[in-house]
Every structure is written in structure tokens, then in C-alpha cells.
Amino acid sequence: MSITSSNAEGMTSQLTRPLNSLITLCLTRLSRRNETLGPPPSHVSHHDIRVPVRNGQTSAGDHIKTLFDCDLPTDKENETFVKCLEKAQLQGPGIRFVVIGSENYVGKWLNGGRRGHGLNYKCFAQQFVSSPVGPGQRNFFEQTLLLGEVQYDDITKQLNDMAQAEGIEQTNIKYGENKVYDRMVEEASIRCQRRLANIVRCIARCSLRPICISGGNEDILGLGYGVHLGRTIARGTPSNLTLGNFDCHGDYKNLEERGAHSGNGFSFLNTIGILKKYAVLGLTPYENRESMMEHLISTNCWYRYLDDISLIGAPNRPSLYESLLDMIKALDAEDDEVPGLCVDLDVTEDLMTVSCPATLGFTRAQVHELVQEFTRYNKPFFLLLAEGMPDPMIPLTEGINRTLGKYQAGLVACFLRNCISVPHI
């Protein structure tokens, strides 16, 4: 694809310039068996999660590791963080998976979505550590590091301060109403993705598999770019991406529209030259613009509409399983390519705790099985769960928020279970 917009060229150059060496995380700390947690080191930002105690059974949180179970880094430099991850790999059965949270509102705002409230990772993490451990499950929980959440508060604070200095009221503003504010948010979105990429680069460099619990699909940009950089360092050769996406939206809009946002993360990766294959399953024809579909087709991406899949065994259309196999075939990765999987939760019908709820989509059981079969066949190196948005008026452990947390926890456990037999790389 050729870029004609100077704004788009500026965004790609901002993303790909050398990354900062600082790690900015709010680390997760687990309280197990009703233990009383003391204060962490003063330089460490953290949030605590209590692992439930149940008579006669253990929970995932009894086996999942955190950085507090290792030696915490004494500073926020990349190399210290990498050494801490390397040490975690050597403890017990060794860490192979790293779960990280990422949520900022700027990418969703740029795409016209709801902003969210920064609660999705916490909603997921509480249900994930509370999951009962069934037969054969202890192994993959023991090889999982629950890292924490990327911090973006300083970026959004700077954005708010700049808007205030310009006299811009942000409450109900929409893209296109103030060009100065539009540029501010676009630059903030790139900064957020660079921060995520920096952390993921360290994880992938250690040959650990990142799992990102995200508030918006724009995080495929930071996640994918970070994996590309980390695996390139580890392998000593350029490592490009092949990505599968279960989504009712293609998220492949042109970069000339609205900067880096939740609707163009995949096309952004293609533009900077690191996305070699892209396939999306579950598109609804009523929610994908013609210009975006033309762009998707022009770059030889694979896609299938929900309307072109038979969910009831109709003879004139491929079944969901046949469609999945077609998707996997289209993503057949070469040795120098890194496969990944994205699940946009809005592909789930009638799931209201997402940033863009869909009335048409797959059931939760179908999405779970799609993740299971895709992981078994494609063996993705990383996973992104995107667009979860808990209701801030309901406690995170109750009602629809509990359902959202358990749904995401189940998808991550499914990914872990089916990845555990994949050789360590």
C-alpha cells in the first residue's frame, strides 16, 4: 500500500523510531491463602488481587506466578526487566506465558467507540486467578506469569493538560470538530502503542508468549510491533507476522483516516511492512464500509462474512469448522513468520460489556471452540483479547461484569491448554 498523506507518514515514522528504554507497569500482586501482604518497594506501582480459598480445591492463582514471586527489578530499565523475566523462566517448571493488561481510551475515541473506564484487566484477572484447577490444568497455570497493566496515566494527563491550555472541552467532543485536538489524540495514541511495544519486545525477546487483555483493538499495533522486534532480536533475523482475527469488523481502515485507532491496527502493521498474512472470520456485512473492504481485498487478505457461513448445516455454504480450516490454510506461516491470534469480543452475539456490542455474531461456546481449534492447528505465538468494557456501575465480581471476566479467563485458559504442547522456542 502506498501512503500519500503526510499525516500517515508522520504516524508511521513516530511508531518506528527507537523505543524508550523505560518500563511503565502497574504490577499485579496475589494474596494467597489469606496471607497478609506487606508494602511493596516504594518504586513499584501495583494492585493486589486476593485468591479465593476453597476447601478441598486449589485455584489458578495458587499456581500462577507474579513478579513478586521473583526478585523485583530495582529500576525500570529494559535490561533489568529482561533479567527478571529470564529468572522467572528458571523457577519451578519455568515461565512460558506472560499475561499483560492494556487499556487507554484514545484509540477507541479516534474510531468513534466508547471510551471505557480502565477496568477490563482487573475484571479478567480476578476471575482468572479464581478459576478452579481441574485435572491436567496445573501445569499450564504454573507456566504463566500474571504481569500487570501498562500505565498510560501520564500520557492521558498530558493530553488533558494540553486540551485545557487550548481551551478545549473534551466531554462530548467528536473527531473532526477540532483539528488541533485531533492531532493531539493521534500523537497520544502512537505514544501508547510505543509503550506497549516496548514491554512486549522484552517479553518476546525472552521467547515468552505474550497474552494481552486489551480495552481496544488498536493494541494489536503495539503488541504486534513489540513481538516483531523481540523475535527479531531473539532469532537474529527479521520476524514478520501472520495474524488471525475473529471479529465482526475488519479493522483494516486506511491510515489516512483518524490516525492510529481501534479500526486500523492491522492495516497499520501492513503499512510498516511487518504483516505478511491477515485473515478475519465473522465479518458482518452491515458494519464494514466498502472502502475498508476494498482496502482489505487490495492487499490480498483473507476474510469471510458471517452470512457466508452456515451455522445450521445449510448445504450451499461452508460450515463454521470448514471456514476455520480455510482461514488456517490462508495463514500457513513460513519459518521466518510469527503467528498470532486476535479475538475481538464484539464478535460474540449479545455480549453487552464490549465497546461496540453486536447483535449478530458467534455464541460464546463457538468462540471458545474457534480459539481451541485455531490454537491447536496454527500454534500462535501470542494472543490478544480486545474490546472488553465492564460496566463501572456494577462491582467487577458481580452480574454481567463477572460473566465478562469469566468469559475472558476461559478463553485464555483454552489458549494456554492448547499451546502447552507446542515446543518452547
Side-chain angles (χ1 to χ4, degrees):
M1 165 187 169
S2 62
I3 297 293
T4 59
S5 167
S6 60
N7 183 39
E9 291 175 352
M11 289 188 296
T12 56
S13 63
Q14 285 180 49
L15 176 74
T16 55
R17 61 187 172 84
L19 295 178
N20 195 304
S21 64
L22 294 180
I23 298 296
T24 310
L25 280 167
C26 178
L27 298 175
T28 296
R29 187 169 64 158
L30 300 181
S31 171
R32 304 180 180 95
R33 300 295 165 183
N34 291 325
E35 66 179 319
T36 301
L37 300 175
S42 58
H43 67 279
V44 175
S45 175
H46 78 290
H47 71 268
D48 295 337
I49 299 177
R50 187 167 297 278
V51 180
V53 178
R54 299 186 178 98
N55 293 331
Q57 71 179 44
T58 60
S59 299
D62 294 318
H63 305 291
I64 292 168
K65 302 295 188 296
T66 72
L67 280 189
F68 288 90
D69 300 316
C70 316
D71 288 336
L72 280 169
T74 56
D75 57 46
K76 296 181 179 180
E77 289 291 331
N78 277 2
E79 292 305 316
T80 309
F81 180 60
V82 167
K83 289 177 181 177
C84 192
L85 292 175
E86 290 173 341
K87 183 171 182 177
Q89 288 178 288
L90 301 176
Q91 294 186 347
I95 296 299
R96 289 183 60 189
F97 307 93
V98 178
V99 182
I100 185 171
S102 173
E103 185 169 6
N104 66 81
Y105 71 81
V106 290
K108 288 189 288 188
W109 181 85
L110 283 167
N111 198 32
R114 296 187 291 172
R115 293 186 177 217
H117 303 275
L119 300 172
N120 192 39
Y121 172 75
K122 295 181 179 66
C123 179
F124 153 81
Q126 182 61 67
Q127 298 304 324
F128 187 53
V129 303
S130 302
S131 303
V133 178
Q137 294 181 348
R138 175 174 175 174
N139 186 31
F140 62 75
F141 284 128
E142 288 181 334
Q143 298 183 54
T144 301
L145 178 72
L146 193 59
L147 183 61
E149 192 165 13
V150 186
Q151 291 186 298
Y152 301 111
D153 291 350
D154 58 317
I155 296 177
T156 53
K157 182 181 184 304
Q158 185 179 21
L159 174 62
N160 293 337
D161 290 345
M162 292 169 62
Q164 186 174 4
E166 293 286 339
I168 299 172
E169 173 55 51
Q170 301 181 80
T171 305
N172 296 311
I173 192 171
K174 296 180 180 180
Y175 188 89
E177 294 179 349
N178 187 308
K179 291 186 178 180
V180 173
Y181 186 70
D182 293 347
R183 298 290 87 78
M184 288 180 184
V185 182
E186 288 172 2
E187 291 176 5
S189 181
I190 290 290
R191 290 179 62 197
C192 290
Q193 294 311 307
R194 285 172 51 79
R195 181 165 294 180
L196 174 60
N198 184 41
I199 295 171
V200 173
R201 172 180 61 171
C202 295
I203 296 169
R205 171 183 164 183
C206 296
S207 296
L208 299 172
R209 296 171 180 265
I211 298 170
C212 184
I213 310 301
S214 165
N217 225 2
E218 71 276 7
D219 282 338
I220 191 61
L221 177 56
L223 177 61
Y225 186 50
V227 167
H228 161 73
L229 293 175
R231 297 309 296 151
T232 296
I233 294 171
R235 290 174 163 182
T237 182
S239 298
N240 295 315
L241 309 176
T242 63
L243 297 180
N245 184 23
F246 301 135
D247 200 340
C248 62
H249 306 100
D251 292 340
Y252 209 79
K253 293 179 180 178
N254 197 300
L255 257 65
E256 296 176 16
E257 305 173 14
R258 303 193 177 199
H261 57 69
S262 59
N264 67 7
F266 296 96
S267 53
F268 207 123
L269 290 172
N270 177 68
T271 299
I272 61 177
I274 65 174
L275 179 61
K276 294 304 179 184
K277 301 184 186 81
Y278 174 53
V280 55
L281 178 66
L283 295 176
T284 54
Y286 326 108
E287 300 190 35
N288 292 276
R289 290 187 301 176
E290 183 179 6
S291 60
M292 192 275 292
M293 294 305 299
E294 290 175 348
H295 185 203
L296 191 73
I297 294 168
S298 70
T299 50
N300 297 317
C301 300
W302 184 95
Y303 68 94
R304 185 155 294 166
Y305 285 116
L306 184 65
D307 284 13
D308 295 331
I309 303 168
S310 174
L311 302 179
I312 61 172
N316 59 333
R317 286 174 289 160
S319 69
L320 181 55
Y321 183 65
E322 291 169 335
S323 297
L324 176 65
L325 293 180
D326 289 342
M327 178 188 193
I328 292 169
K329 183 178 179 180
L331 291 172
D332 187 28
E334 306 293 336
D335 290 342
D336 63 341
E337 295 171 350
V338 182
L341 173 61
C342 173
V343 181
D344 189 323
L345 298 180
D346 65 20
V347 79
T348 313
E349 65 177 4
D350 295 329
L351 184 67
M352 302 310 295
T353 43
V354 293
S355 60
C356 187
T359 54
L360 290 177
F362 302 126
T363 66
R364 289 197 288 270
Q366 286 170 333
V367 174
H368 187 277
E369 189 167 6
L370 285 170
V371 170
Q372 175 177 302
E373 294 303 309
F374 185 94
T375 306
R376 280 202 315 120
Y377 283 103
N378 188 261
K379 300 177 174 52
F381 181 75
F382 61 97
L383 172 68
L384 173 70
L385 296 185
E387 303 291 346
M389 197 175 86
D391 187 334
M393 305 305 293
I394 301 174
L396 290 181
T397 56
E398 296 181 12
I400 56 175
N401 288 343
R402 182 173 185 268
T403 298
L404 174 65
K406 288 180 72 68
Y407 181 37
Q408 293 181 96
L411 293 176
V412 170
C414 178
F415 178 83
L416 293 171
R417 181 173 61 252
N418 288 281
C419 270
I420 204 70
S421 60
V422 178
H424 191 50
I425 58 176

mmCIF file of all heavy atoms in Angstrom, residues 113-137:
data_model
loop_
_atom_site.group_PDB
_atom_site.id
_atom_site.type_symbol
_atom_site.label_atom_id
_atom_site.label_comp_id
_atom_site.label_asym_id
_atom_site.label_seq_id
_atom_site.Cartn_x
_atom_site.Cartn_y
_atom_site.Cartn_z
ATOM 1 N N GLY A 113 -15.606 4.915 19.093
ATOM 2 C CA GLY A 113 -16.105 3.960 20.081
ATOM 3 C C GLY A 113 -16.244 4.573 21.469
ATOM 4 O O GLY A 113 -15.809 5.700 21.723
ATOM 5 N N ARG A 114 -16.828 3.800 22.369
ATOM 6 C CA ARG A 114 -16.962 4.243 23.751
ATOM 7 C C ARG A 114 -15.607 4.190 24.451
ATOM 8 O O ARG A 114 -14.802 3.301 24.220
ATOM 9 C CB ARG A 114 -17.971 3.358 24.488
ATOM 10 C CG ARG A 114 -19.383 3.475 23.919
ATOM 11 C CD ARG A 114 -20.369 2.718 24.779
ATOM 12 N NE ARG A 114 -20.180 1.280 24.705
ATOM 13 C CZ ARG A 114 -20.815 0.405 25.486
ATOM 14 N NH1 ARG A 114 -21.646 0.848 26.425
ATOM 15 N NH2 ARG A 114 -20.618 -0.890 25.345
ATOM 16 N N ARG A 115 -15.353 5.118 25.341
ATOM 17 C CA ARG A 115 -14.020 5.268 25.917
ATOM 18 C C ARG A 115 -13.648 4.167 26.903
ATOM 19 O O ARG A 115 -12.494 3.791 27.009
ATOM 20 C CB ARG A 115 -13.903 6.629 26.622
ATOM 21 C CG ARG A 115 -13.959 7.798 25.657
ATOM 22 C CD ARG A 115 -13.697 9.107 26.371
ATOM 23 N NE ARG A 115 -13.683 10.220 25.411
ATOM 24 C CZ ARG A 115 -12.863 11.252 25.501
ATOM 25 N NH1 ARG A 115 -12.001 11.319 26.485
ATOM 26 N NH2 ARG A 115 -12.903 12.220 24.610
ATOM 27 N N GLY A 116 -14.582 3.666 27.670
ATOM 28 C CA GLY A 116 -14.234 2.679 28.687
ATOM 29 C C GLY A 116 -13.741 3.345 29.961
ATOM 30 O O GLY A 116 -13.589 4.559 30.040
ATOM 31 N N HIS A 117 -13.449 2.526 30.966
ATOM 32 C CA HIS A 117 -13.105 3.059 32.283
ATOM 33 C C HIS A 117 -11.859 2.398 32.873
ATOM 34 O O HIS A 117 -11.621 2.490 34.073
ATOM 35 C CB HIS A 117 -14.288 2.879 33.237
ATOM 36 C CG HIS A 117 -15.552 3.521 32.741
ATOM 37 N ND1 HIS A 117 -15.839 4.850 32.945
ATOM 38 C CD2 HIS A 117 -16.582 3.024 32.000
ATOM 39 C CE1 HIS A 117 -17.003 5.144 32.375
ATOM 40 N NE2 HIS A 117 -17.473 4.053 31.802
ATOM 41 N N GLY A 118 -11.065 1.731 32.063
ATOM 42 C CA GLY A 118 -9.812 1.150 32.538
ATOM 43 C C GLY A 118 -9.992 -0.012 33.493
ATOM 44 O O GLY A 118 -9.128 -0.242 34.348
ATOM 45 N N LEU A 119 -11.072 -0.785 33.354
ATOM 46 C CA LEU A 119 -11.375 -1.837 34.323
ATOM 47 C C LEU A 119 -11.252 -3.251 33.771
ATOM 48 O O LEU A 119 -11.408 -4.218 34.512
ATOM 49 C CB LEU A 119 -12.807 -1.648 34.855
ATOM 50 C CG LEU A 119 -13.103 -0.324 35.568
ATOM 51 C CD1 LEU A 119 -14.595 -0.216 35.865
ATOM 52 C CD2 LEU A 119 -12.297 -0.209 36.853
ATOM 53 N N ASN A 120 -10.977 -3.393 32.480
ATOM 54 C CA ASN A 120 -11.089 -4.709 31.862
ATOM 55 C C ASN A 120 -10.056 -5.701 32.381
ATOM 56 O O ASN A 120 -10.378 -6.861 32.634
ATOM 57 C CB ASN A 120 -10.974 -4.586 30.339
ATOM 58 C CG ASN A 120 -11.361 -5.869 29.627
ATOM 59 O OD1 ASN A 120 -12.301 -6.546 30.028
ATOM 60 N ND2 ASN A 120 -10.638 -6.218 28.577
ATOM 61 N N TYR A 121 -8.807 -5.280 32.535
ATOM 62 C CA TYR A 121 -7.779 -6.204 33.023
ATOM 63 C C TYR A 121 -8.100 -6.685 34.438
ATOM 64 O O TYR A 121 -7.988 -7.874 34.744
ATOM 65 C CB TYR A 121 -6.408 -5.541 32.988
ATOM 66 C CG TYR A 121 -5.334 -6.374 33.652
ATOM 67 C CD1 TYR A 121 -4.812 -7.501 33.013
ATOM 68 C CD2 TYR A 121 -4.857 -6.052 34.918
ATOM 69 C CE1 TYR A 121 -3.837 -8.279 33.616
ATOM 70 C CE2 TYR A 121 -3.878 -6.817 35.526
ATOM 71 C CZ TYR A 121 -3.367 -7.932 34.880
ATOM 72 O OH TYR A 121 -2.405 -8.701 35.492
ATOM 73 N N LYS A 122 -8.524 -5.776 35.308
ATOM 74 C CA LYS A 122 -8.866 -6.161 36.679
ATOM 75 C C LYS A 122 -10.058 -7.119 36.697
ATOM 76 O O LYS A 122 -10.089 -8.076 37.484
ATOM 77 C CB LYS A 122 -9.156 -4.923 37.520
ATOM 78 C CG LYS A 122 -7.962 -3.995 37.723
ATOM 79 C CD LYS A 122 -8.338 -2.798 38.581
ATOM 80 C CE LYS A 122 -7.155 -1.874 38.807
ATOM 81 N NZ LYS A 122 -6.689 -1.221 37.558
ATOM 82 N N CYS A 123 -11.040 -6.858 35.829
ATOM 83 C CA CYS A 123 -12.213 -7.730 35.720
ATOM 84 C C CYS A 123 -11.775 -9.138 35.312
ATOM 85 O O CYS A 123 -12.214 -10.137 35.892
ATOM 86 C CB CYS A 123 -13.173 -7.136 34.699
ATOM 87 S SG CYS A 123 -14.666 -8.089 34.400
ATOM 88 N N PHE A 124 -10.902 -9.225 34.312
ATOM 89 C CA PHE A 124 -10.374 -10.514 33.863
ATOM 90 C C PHE A 124 -9.528 -11.188 34.946
ATOM 91 O O PHE A 124 -9.705 -12.374 35.245
ATOM 92 C CB PHE A 124 -9.531 -10.316 32.600
ATOM 93 C CG PHE A 124 -8.466 -11.360 32.421
ATOM 94 C CD1 PHE A 124 -8.775 -12.607 31.894
ATOM 95 C CD2 PHE A 124 -7.153 -11.105 32.808
ATOM 96 C CE1 PHE A 124 -7.788 -13.585 31.754
ATOM 97 C CE2 PHE A 124 -6.162 -12.066 32.660
ATOM 98 C CZ PHE A 124 -6.481 -13.310 32.139
ATOM 99 N N ALA A 125 -8.586 -10.436 35.529
ATOM 100 C CA ALA A 125 -7.589 -11.031 36.433
ATOM 101 C C ALA A 125 -8.236 -11.672 37.653
ATOM 102 O O ALA A 125 -7.816 -12.746 38.098
ATOM 103 C CB ALA A 125 -6.569 -9.977 36.848
ATOM 104 N N GLN A 126 -9.281 -11.036 38.202
ATOM 105 C CA GLN A 126 -9.931 -11.602 39.385
ATOM 106 C C GLN A 126 -10.559 -12.953 39.065
ATOM 107 O O GLN A 126 -10.443 -13.913 39.856
ATOM 108 C CB GLN A 126 -11.001 -10.644 39.915
ATOM 109 C CG GLN A 126 -11.697 -11.139 41.174
ATOM 110 C CD GLN A 126 -10.731 -11.323 42.327
ATOM 111 O OE1 GLN A 126 -10.171 -10.353 42.848
ATOM 112 N NE2 GLN A 126 -10.506 -12.568 42.759
ATOM 113 N N GLN A 127 -11.205 -13.071 37.927
ATOM 114 C CA GLN A 127 -11.814 -14.347 37.558
ATOM 115 C C GLN A 127 -10.767 -15.369 37.124
ATOM 116 O O GLN A 127 -10.935 -16.575 37.363
ATOM 117 C CB GLN A 127 -12.825 -14.136 36.423
ATOM 118 C CG GLN A 127 -13.991 -13.235 36.793
ATOM 119 C CD GLN A 127 -14.760 -13.721 38.016
ATOM 120 O OE1 GLN A 127 -14.930 -14.927 38.223
ATOM 121 N NE2 GLN A 127 -15.204 -12.795 38.850
ATOM 122 N N PHE A 128 -9.678 -14.915 36.522
ATOM 123 C CA PHE A 128 -8.617 -15.816 36.079
ATOM 124 C C PHE A 128 -7.955 -16.502 37.270
ATOM 125 O O PHE A 128 -7.794 -17.724 37.282
ATOM 126 C CB PHE A 128 -7.593 -15.032 35.269
ATOM 127 C CG PHE A 128 -6.535 -15.877 34.611
ATOM 128 C CD1 PHE A 128 -6.889 -16.952 33.806
ATOM 129 C CD2 PHE A 128 -5.188 -15.585 34.778
ATOM 130 C CE1 PHE A 128 -5.912 -17.729 33.182
ATOM 131 C CE2 PHE A 128 -4.211 -16.351 34.169
ATOM 132 C CZ PHE A 128 -4.569 -17.427 33.374
ATOM 133 N N VAL A 129 -7.592 -15.736 38.278
ATOM 134 C CA VAL A 129 -6.923 -16.344 39.448
ATOM 135 C C VAL A 129 -7.908 -17.152 40.283
ATOM 136 O O VAL A 129 -7.490 -18.020 41.064
ATOM 137 C CB VAL A 129 -6.222 -15.276 40.322
ATOM 138 C CG1 VAL A 129 -5.217 -14.495 39.503
ATOM 139 C CG2 VAL A 129 -7.218 -14.344 40.999
ATOM 140 N N SER A 130 -9.212 -16.889 40.142
ATOM 141 C CA SER A 130 -10.230 -17.614 40.907
ATOM 142 C C SER A 130 -10.654 -18.917 40.240
ATOM 143 O O SER A 130 -11.410 -19.700 40.832
ATOM 144 C CB SER A 130 -11.472 -16.736 41.105
ATOM 145 O OG SER A 130 -11.150 -15.528 41.767
ATOM 146 N N SER A 131 -10.178 -19.167 39.021
ATOM 147 C CA SER A 131 -10.596 -20.354 38.276
ATOM 148 C C SER A 131 -10.200 -21.629 39.008
ATOM 149 O O SER A 131 -9.032 -21.790 39.392
ATOM 150 C CB SER A 131 -9.957 -20.361 36.876
ATOM 151 O OG SER A 131 -10.278 -19.199 36.167
ATOM 152 N N PRO A 132 -11.125 -22.577 39.219
ATOM 153 C CA PRO A 132 -10.745 -23.857 39.821
ATOM 154 C C PRO A 132 -9.782 -24.607 38.902
ATOM 155 O O PRO A 132 -9.884 -24.528 37.679
ATOM 156 C CB PRO A 132 -12.084 -24.608 39.934
ATOM 157 C CG PRO A 132 -13.138 -23.552 39.815
ATOM 158 C CD PRO A 132 -12.574 -22.496 38.941
ATOM 159 N N VAL A 133 -8.842 -25.315 39.499
ATOM 160 C CA VAL A 133 -7.851 -26.070 38.731
ATOM 161 C C VAL A 133 -8.353 -27.496 38.554
ATOM 162 O O VAL A 133 -8.483 -28.248 39.530
ATOM 163 C CB VAL A 133 -6.479 -26.063 39.430
ATOM 164 C CG1 VAL A 133 -5.466 -26.895 38.640
ATOM 165 C CG2 VAL A 133 -5.983 -24.633 39.586
ATOM 166 N N GLY A 134 -8.654 -27.870 37.316
ATOM 167 C CA GLY A 134 -9.139 -29.211 37.016
ATOM 168 C C GLY A 134 -8.005 -30.157 36.688
ATOM 169 O O GLY A 134 -6.817 -29.775 36.704
ATOM 170 N N PRO A 135 -8.323 -31.391 36.372
ATOM 171 C CA PRO A 135 -7.299 -32.387 36.039
ATOM 172 C C PRO A 135 -6.437 -31.932 34.857
ATOM 173 O O PRO A 135 -6.952 -31.499 33.833
ATOM 174 C CB PRO A 135 -8.118 -33.637 35.676
ATOM 175 C CG PRO A 135 -9.436 -33.437 36.347
ATOM 176 C CD PRO A 135 -9.685 -31.967 36.351
ATOM 177 N N GLY A 136 -5.128 -31.999 35.017
ATOM 178 C CA GLY A 136 -4.199 -31.666 33.950
ATOM 179 C C GLY A 136 -4.002 -30.188 33.702
ATOM 180 O O GLY A 136 -3.310 -29.811 32.760
ATOM 181 N N GLN A 137 -4.606 -29.320 34.535
ATOM 182 C CA GLN A 137 -4.520 -27.882 34.285
ATOM 183 C C GLN A 137 -3.413 -27.192 35.080
ATOM 184 O O GLN A 137 -2.989 -26.099 34.707
ATOM 185 C CB GLN A 137 -5.864 -27.217 34.615
ATOM 186 C CG GLN A 137 -7.000 -27.650 33.702
ATOM 187 C CD GLN A 137 -8.297 -26.951 34.044
ATOM 188 O OE1 GLN A 137 -8.424 -26.310 35.086
ATOM 189 N NE2 GLN A 137 -9.282 -27.078 33.167
#
